[in-house]
Amino acid sequence: MEGRIDSEVIVVGAGPAGSACAISLARKGVDVLLLEKARIPGERNVTGGVLYGEYLKGYGLVDLVPEFEKEAPLQRKVSRHDLYVLSNQSSTGQYKYYKMTKDSLPSRMGLFNLDFGTDHDYTVLKRDFDRWLALKAAEEGAMLATSTTVEDLILEDGRVVGVRTTHEDLRSKLVVDCSGVTSTLVDRASLRKPLRPFQVYHGIKHVYKMTGEVIEKRFGLKPGEGEARFYLGDFMKGISGGAFLYTNKDTISIGLVLTLSSFVKGATTKFDRVGKPLNILEDFERHPMLAELLESAELVEYSAHNIPRSHTCILETPYMPGLLVAGDALGSFVKIGALIDGMRRAIASGIMASETYIHANEKGNFGLTELEDYRERLSPIYGDVNRASSDSQISESSLAYRYLPRLLFSTGLLCKTGTAKVVHIVERSDSIQQVQLRTGLLQYDEDENYSHIKVDEEKCSRAAMKPWVPACPVNCYTLLTKKGVFASFHDLYIYNKKSLGGDPDSSEFDRAAYNQTLRDIAEGSLRFDHVACVACGTCGVIGPKDMVEFGHERDGHGVRYRYG
């Protein structure tokens, strides 16, 4: 390769994939530059989440950093994974539930795999963990540059020869894109078309503060021991997805993972029941089983993030001359039954990318022939993705999300009954207020001169149905009507129902409110404001690009999570 070289390898993104790649390369004496758009690695990242420390021999965190269990900022060692199927609460406060463990019949039959522990598994908070791993890369000799946004690839004669940041062009022998699910470089390299809603999961999360002693008492845990829980049930309102709960040292992470296409359909056609993702999470937390666990806990953070639905979007060819793609940008996240697992394979793909560089460098070329063995190295990950695809035929079907709960609760088979200590009747505020309460918990470094999202408000306003409004986890998109401003079509439906009067139990009355809401949505104007954006990328996935184009914040601006 001719010309100036700023670094042998440029790694874009200091998440688990990028840092693992940089660590592996630096240990082999490679001059590697690790670029991160955030001010501090991890402060813009979100996980549920459980870190599974072991994977294929040589490709797990336990291989990359053998002493990680002593050094890393881990929360609790996960001793059990359980799945709960919940019924709705009756007027008397009673509900039914079914608890599934790795020894339960459905798990042993393979319907919901719960036996995936490695004995090196811990709950983590992304801000602390990603920062630790990125600094580990720096300790090994990698150059870490933060507040640096990569906006484009430098292409010459069909080959990637570097990256264009907001400040300068940087050239290298090889670029490794580890910039996550919102990667724009994958599109630029023509390795995949822009992601569509059926290709991503949308996740939102609350972090609640409580003492470690209270957590251990409520969950029946020993000191330092943790639990991962997964939930299915009618609380999802027919949306494909479920809830999760992870115990940390002195916090609890609780949230939802839903298929974005299923949510968009529900929020735009079933708005008599479905509002924003936050509404579903709030209803879930009000369920008596969860309300008892969260009693007196302090809400300290709200976050949102998109996740690649790997079997629909993993790259067929994860490379081009001068470029490799790893982690969520590759699409290596795997969801098999209750297993939600991205970090382990991100780390593995980063290590595999480093090995591919060493192989190509020995040959003195970074063309297609020299990089094609990367796909072979990734074969175990692609095998996991194929398993996830097969599993999704059951675990992401209406059988799991609708019919299994109904079958269990209608027959009473294997179910237990719980009773709420207190039946709470909550008068919910509108979605704008709900979201404002949560974004008020977050820290932002706002960019007053640049918006990373380009929105054609006039075109969007002409759309009969405006899915960006309910799908946005915050208040970036709102609907302006003669009746007021709304961040959820469900709120507008409730407004119309109250305004029309009549018998609230009448189906004819419901239809009238529903049809009036449809007219209001079509006639309303879309308003966009990026100030409280959490950069999840949902609006860009919904698109289309000529109406909404998502990019990345510059110079370290944006949300700064304290937990992640």
Side-chain angles (χ1 to χ4, degrees):
M1 180 178 177
E2 299 179 358
R4 171 179 63 88
I5 295 294
D6 296 292
S7 184
E8 289 181 78
V9 180
I10 293 174
V11 180
V12 183
S19 293
C21 182
I23 289 170
S24 300
L25 289 170
R27 284 177 178 165
K28 293 179 174 68
V30 177
D31 177 24
V32 56
L33 175 60
L34 179 58
L35 302 178
E36 169 56 41
K37 64 187 176 186
R39 181 180 58 99
I40 298 172
E43 72 175 1
R44 303 278 304 284
N45 296 345
V46 179
T47 184
V50 175
L51 170 71
Y52 298 93
E54 189 174 297
Y55 189 45
L56 300 169
K57 183 64 177 175
Y59 296 101
L61 182 59
V62 72
D63 304 297
L64 183 70
V65 186
E67 298 297 310
F68 88 92
E69 288 166 294
K70 296 179 181 178
E71 299 178 9
L74 306 173
Q75 294 294 311
R76 290 177 178 269
K77 187 169 185 177
V78 178
S79 61
R80 60 180 186 260
H81 300 79
D82 298 323
L83 185 145
Y84 289 79
V85 185
L86 304 179
S87 77
N88 286 331
Q89 175 184 348
S90 70
S91 58
T92 61
Q94 285 196 326
Y95 63 94
K96 294 179 180 179
Y97 69 94
Y98 172 63
K99 179 181 177 181
M100 191 184 306
T101 70
K102 67 179 182 179
D103 299 319
S104 300
L105 181 61
S107 180
R108 286 188 280 115
M109 290 175 61
L111 293 178
F112 285 96
N113 178 29
L114 291 167
D115 188 13
F116 37 70
T118 74
D119 198 39
H120 299 283
D121 311 328
Y122 296 84
T123 54
V124 295
L125 295 168
K126 206 67 158 57
R127 177 185 170 116
D128 291 344
F129 179 78
D130 283 4
R131 180 178 181 272
W132 168 79
L133 196 60
L135 291 179
K136 180 67 67 175
E139 288 174 12
E140 296 289 350
M143 177 67 72
L144 173 62
T146 61
S147 299
T148 304
T149 299
V150 173
E151 299 200 318
D152 204 352
L153 298 170
I154 302 174
L155 292 161
E156 293 179 1
D157 300 322
R159 178 187 298 265
V160 175
V161 296
V163 298
R164 179 159 292 127
T165 74
T166 48
H167 301 293
E168 60 182 329
D169 288 357
L170 297 168
R171 301 175 71 89
S172 62
K173 294 180 181 179
L174 182 72
V175 173
V176 185
D177 179 16
C178 303
S179 59
V181 67
T182 58
S183 170
T184 56
L185 305 184
V186 171
D187 300 343
R188 178 73 173 90
S190 300
L191 295 179
R192 180 179 58 213
K193 294 181 179 179
L195 291 171
R196 308 307 305 143
F198 76 92
Q199 293 176 302
V200 301
Y201 300 109
H202 181 63
I204 64 169
K205 186 181 77 166
H206 280 155
V207 177
Y208 284 94
K209 187 87 170 174
M210 62 176 69
T211 67
E213 291 78 9
V214 170
I215 290 173
E216 287 154 10
K217 181 178 180 180
R218 291 184 183 178
F219 290 86
L221 300 171
K222 298 175 183 177
E225 190 178 53
E227 180 180 6
R229 290 189 178 188
F230 313 92
Y231 297 87
L232 298 174
D234 288 338
F235 65 86
M236 290 300 300
K237 303 184 186 301
I239 305 300
S240 175
F244 61 82
L245 185 154
Y246 302 114
T247 56
N248 306 314
K249 284 181 179 177
D250 58 0
T251 60
I252 287 177
S253 298
I254 182 168
L256 304 176
V257 174
L258 8 111
T259 305
L260 182 57
S261 56
S262 177
F263 176 78
V264 168
K265 181 179 180 180
T268 56
T269 64
K270 300 176 182 177
F271 47 74
D272 53 330
R273 299 180 62 225
V274 179
K276 292 176 84 71
L278 177 58
N279 302 142
I280 300 175
L281 178 56
E282 283 195 321
D283 286 346
F284 170 62
E285 291 175 347
R286 290 191 186 105
H287 189 283
M289 177 179 281
L290 277 301
E292 191 170 324
L293 293 172
L294 296 174
E295 185 178 1
S296 301
E298 177 191 3
L299 178 63
V300 291
E301 188 165 271
Y302 171 63
S303 57
H305 182 66
N306 282 341
I307 309 160
R309 198 166 172 239
S310 60
H311 58 282
T312 67
C313 68
I314 193 166
L315 301 184
E316 292 183 14
T317 304
Y319 57 89
M320 69 172 291
L323 175 72
L324 300 176
V325 185
D328 276 5
L330 165 69
S332 61
F333 179 92
V334 167
K335 182 176 179 293
I336 301 175
L339 174 66
I340 301 174
D341 187 6
M343 287 182 283
R344 170 165 47 174
R345 288 167 182 81
I347 289 169
S349 65
I351 298 171
M352 292 168 182
S354 74
E355 293 176 340
T356 304
Y357 170 80
I358 299 299
H359 167 77
N361 195 48
E362 289 172 351
K363 294 189 173 184
N365 201 334
F366 297 90
L368 288 178
T369 302
E370 291 74 26
L371 297 183
E372 65 183 1
D373 82 316
Y374 182 49
R375 175 61 178 81
E376 182 61 31
R377 293 176 192 276
L378 290 169
S379 291
I381 293 176
Y382 279 79
D384 293 339
V385 169
N386 288 334
R387 283 179 55 215
S389 178
S390 300
D391 178 84
S392 70
Q393 302 301 314
I394 296 177
S395 65
E396 294 187 10
S397 69
S398 55
L399 170 66
Y401 291 121
R402 299 178 191 173
Y403 300 123
L404 175 62
R406 292 175 187 174
L407 175 65
L408 286 170
F409 301 136
S410 63
T411 61
L413 291 172
L414 308 175
C415 292
K416 296 182 180 180
T417 300
T419 304
K421 290 182 177 179
V422 180
V423 180
H424 295 284
I425 300 175
V426 180
E427 185 68 30
R428 177 189 287 154
S429 58
D430 66 38
S431 296
I432 290 179
Q433 292 175 319
Q434 291 173 8
V435 169
Q436 285 175 340
L437 287 172
R438 285 155 179 80
T439 54
L441 297 171
L442 302 178
Q443 296 178 356
Y444 288 91
D445 179 6
E446 298 174 9
D447 191 335
E448 298 178 356
N449 301 312
Y450 175 75
S451 173
H452 62 289
I453 305 174
K454 309 294 187 241
V455 178
D456 189 325
E457 292 188 12
E458 186 176 341
K459 274 189 178 180
C460 291
S461 295
R462 290 201 297 267
M465 191 55 70
K466 303 169 177 66
W468 315 278
V469 174
C472 178
V474 288
N475 287 333
C476 293
Y477 295 85
T478 52
L479 181 71
L480 176 63
T481 73
K482 294 178 181 178
K483 300 168 182 177
V485 180
F486 298 88
S488 141
F489 300 155
H490 180 71
D491 290 348
L492 179 56
Y493 169 79
I494 295 299
Y495 179 96
N496 283 329
K497 197 169 181 181
K498 291 178 179 178
S499 299
L500 288 172
D503 182 1
D505 297 322
S506 164
S507 59
E508 184 176 345
F509 176 68
D510 288 340
R511 278 196 303 274
Y514 185 94
N515 290 332
Q516 180 58 55
T517 304
L518 284 176
R519 289 191 292 271
D520 291 338
I521 296 169
E523 295 169 3
S525 299
L526 182 129
R527 292 292 179 266
F528 170 73
D529 185 347
H530 75 283
V531 168
C533 181
V534 292
C536 63
T538 299
C539 57
V541 173
I542 294 172
K545 204 168 183 178
D546 65 326
M547 298 170 78
V548 176
E549 183 176 4
F550 179 85
H552 297 293
E553 290 103 332
R554 296 172 172 174
D555 302 322
H557 290 294
V559 67
R560 293 177 175 174
Y561 292 122
R562 289 182 294 153
Y563 298 90

